[in-house]
Amino acid sequence: MNQKVADVMTPDPVTIEREQSVAEAAQLMANDDIGDIIVLDNGTVTGILTDRDIVIRLVAAGKDAGSKISDIVSESELITVSPDTAIEQAVGLMRQHSVRRLPVLRKGRAVGVISLGDLAIERDDTSALADISAALGNN
């Protein structure tokens, strides 16, 4: 079974420009009940901001919520996949780079995100990770 990323990804990711504030990003996360946002630089995908980034790089570091996203987001070596990437290849990239989420790009535009939770639900919907990932509020 040659499944592709498009078969399991979460489509239509929320995006935000890197010069906007972390507070704006957190509000988007709260409004959409999500844990990550794709970061753009003038429309070009440059990173992914997670709720964990906000906790570790902003709150724990004593920074202000008005700080720019660019002050806390890691943008080095962003690993991405396309909707046509094989699931096995996406899993390999996640393992190799120790990441939990991969932005899914088509012609440079963010069209989705694939996460460990998405893969858990797809691969073993009876696993604890799949149950947790599928629960309301864990997107």
Side-chain angles (χ1 to χ4, degrees):
M1 190 175 234
N2 292 333
Q3 283 191 301
K4 304 291 185 193
V5 166
D7 299 327
V8 299
M9 72 180 190
T10 301
D12 305 317
V14 175
T15 61
I16 193 165
E17 287 288 330
R18 66 191 304 274
E19 296 307 310
Q20 288 181 255
S21 73
V22 176
E24 291 173 280
Q27 189 60 56
L28 286 171
M29 287 179 180
N31 291 347
D32 288 1
D33 193 23
I34 56 175
D36 59 77
I37 296 180
I38 302 292
V39 179
L40 308 174
D41 185 6
N42 293 315
T44 300
V45 176
T46 60
I48 186 166
L49 179 71
T50 67
D51 46 8
R52 185 176 191 281
D53 293 331
I54 294 171
V55 171
I56 303 298
R57 297 181 182 157
L58 183 97
V59 177
K63 294 181 181 177
D64 183 83
S67 298
K68 292 179 182 180
I69 292 166
S70 60
D71 293 338
I72 68 163
V73 69
S74 173
E75 296 176 322
S76 63
E77 195 183 349
L78 179 65
I79 309 303
T80 65
V81 292
S82 78
D84 297 325
T85 301
I87 295 279
E88 292 305 320
Q89 184 179 355
V91 168
L93 287 169
M94 292 170 114
R95 280 186 176 138
Q96 179 183 352
H97 297 281
S98 299
V99 294
R100 293 173 174 88
R101 299 171 178 96
L102 294 172
V104 182
L105 307 184
R106 180 182 293 126
K107 296 181 181 178
R109 187 177 149 269
V111 295
V113 174
I114 186 166
S115 70
L116 286 179
D118 296 328
L119 294 168
I121 292 167
E122 178 59 31
R123 293 215 162 166
D124 182 3
D125 62 356
T126 63
S127 73
L129 181 56
D131 288 345
I132 293 165
S133 298
L136 212 51
N138 283 327
N139 296 323

